[in-house]
Amino acid sequence: MAANFSGGGGGRAMLKGLVFDMDGTLTVPVIDFAAMYRAVLGDEGLAAARAASPSGSVDILHHIDTWAPPEQQKAYEIITHFERQGLDRLQIMPGATELCEYLDSKKIRRGLITRNIKAAVDLFHQRFGMKFIPALSREFCPYKPDPAPLLHICSTWGIPPSEVMMIGDSPRDDVVCGKRAGAFTCLLDETGRHCFPESLADDQKPDFRLFNFHLKSLSQSAFISSINNFLQWEPGDIFAILRILFEILR
């Protein structure tokens, strides 16, 4: 089954697959990224990297790619240490299990792309009893925000990117990856950090912005209005919205 809904060009788009980020999307955020960045770069190095970035943010993986191999190895060891600590506290995002069950009942494909290590993906599958196919970790290069992993999933499915939605909590990684691939994009913004679209670069502005996976009531007319206007940045609930995508707008 595929969902039918209006896109920005006024035509009809078929939604046949969803690709999820893992950390902060399918799982509750547990990694202290600020501490990890400081451990890798040091306070002065982090400040310098932020000052050199037009957006003021630092992509730690791309940053250390420019280092000599010995320094890269040490940095990856620090990053992996923080990631493995996070495995001990891994928690499923509330509502994610129900959402995946619903997608399965409608035969909607679901994949996963993360910049975390494969061990984290394996533990996620084992601990929560759900399988995302394909599930691509940091070992798949190039990683997000490069569109290569999402295009790989689309190719594996035999589905064009225009019929797939990328869902994640990072405008820089998930939204950019989806847009570069030609997919629909959905930003999960639990804290409301990205409530002002003008603060984001054009390639970081998602097609949809949602707050959480909780199953709540949602005005169908309000969401249909946001679909028709497409970039109105209406808040909503991802589970209810996806139900509307699959049940109301087909």
Side-chain angles (χ1 to χ4, degrees):
M1 179 178 293
N4 220 351
F5 61 103
S6 298
R12 304 295 291 180
M14 301 297 295
L15 184 61
K16 297 180 179 178
L18 293 167
V19 179
F20 293 84
D21 168 54
M22 189 174 76
D23 297 299
T25 302
L26 290 171
T27 62
V28 176
V30 293
I31 298 175
D32 188 342
F33 286 102
M36 183 176 74
Y37 279 36
R38 288 194 300 271
V40 172
L41 301 175
D43 290 336
E44 292 184 2
L46 179 57
R50 285 173 172 165
S53 171
S55 65
S57 62
V58 179
D59 186 321
I60 191 70
L61 297 182
H62 282 111
H63 189 81
I64 64 177
D65 278 346
T66 64
W67 293 2
E71 285 74 22
Q72 281 189 25
Q73 179 63 31
K74 182 178 179 181
Y76 275 115
E77 288 175 358
I78 294 172
I79 291 171
T80 301
H81 171 72
F82 275 88
E83 290 172 334
R84 291 194 181 279
Q85 283 185 323
L87 296 183
D88 296 333
R89 304 187 300 275
L90 197 64
Q91 301 177 54
I92 193 73
M93 188 70 76
T97 299
E98 293 80 2
L99 171 58
C100 290
E101 290 173 350
Y102 181 80
L103 296 178
D104 292 345
S105 73
K106 298 300 181 182
K107 302 187 185 304
I108 301 294
R109 295 176 183 266
R110 49 185 175 86
L112 184 153
I113 302 173
T114 178
R115 285 157 53 109
N116 207 324
I117 55 178
K118 183 178 183 297
V121 176
D122 292 342
L123 179 62
F124 171 82
H125 283 156
Q126 178 184 2
R127 181 171 295 179
F128 302 117
M130 59 180 70
K131 194 81 171 177
F132 289 77
I133 303 175
L136 304 181
S137 58
R138 185 165 71 232
E139 288 78 5
F140 183 98
C141 292
Y143 36 72
K144 297 181 298 183
D146 193 285
L150 182 52
L151 292 172
H152 174 81
I153 289 179
C154 292
S155 177
T156 300
W157 285 345
I159 298 174
S162 59
E163 297 178 354
V164 171
M165 181 180 286
M166 178 73 207
I167 301 178
D169 67 322
S170 170
R172 184 187 65 194
D173 295 329
D174 303 314
V175 174
V176 171
C177 173
K179 284 188 172 293
R180 288 178 178 175
F184 287 96
T185 57
C186 176
L187 178 66
L188 180 62
D189 186 15
E190 278 201 304
T191 63
R193 290 182 302 156
H194 308 292
C195 57
F196 300 104
E198 63 273 11
S199 67
L200 295 173
D202 287 343
D203 64 350
Q204 296 183 8
K205 294 178 180 177
D207 299 317
F208 306 103
R209 171 174 161 267
L210 311 166
F211 284 154
N212 54 55
F213 281 118
H214 291 292
L215 180 57
K216 301 175 182 175
S217 61
L218 177 71
S219 167
Q220 294 179 6
S221 61
F223 180 65
I224 291 173
S225 175
S226 73
I227 291 290
N228 289 336
N229 291 297
F230 206 60
L231 283 176
Q232 287 293 307
W233 288 69
E234 296 290 338
D237 168 76
I238 193 167
F239 189 95
I241 283 177
L242 288 173
R243 288 187 67 94
I244 292 172
L245 282 176
F246 299 145
E247 300 292 352
I248 305 298
L249 302 180
R250 58 185 178 176

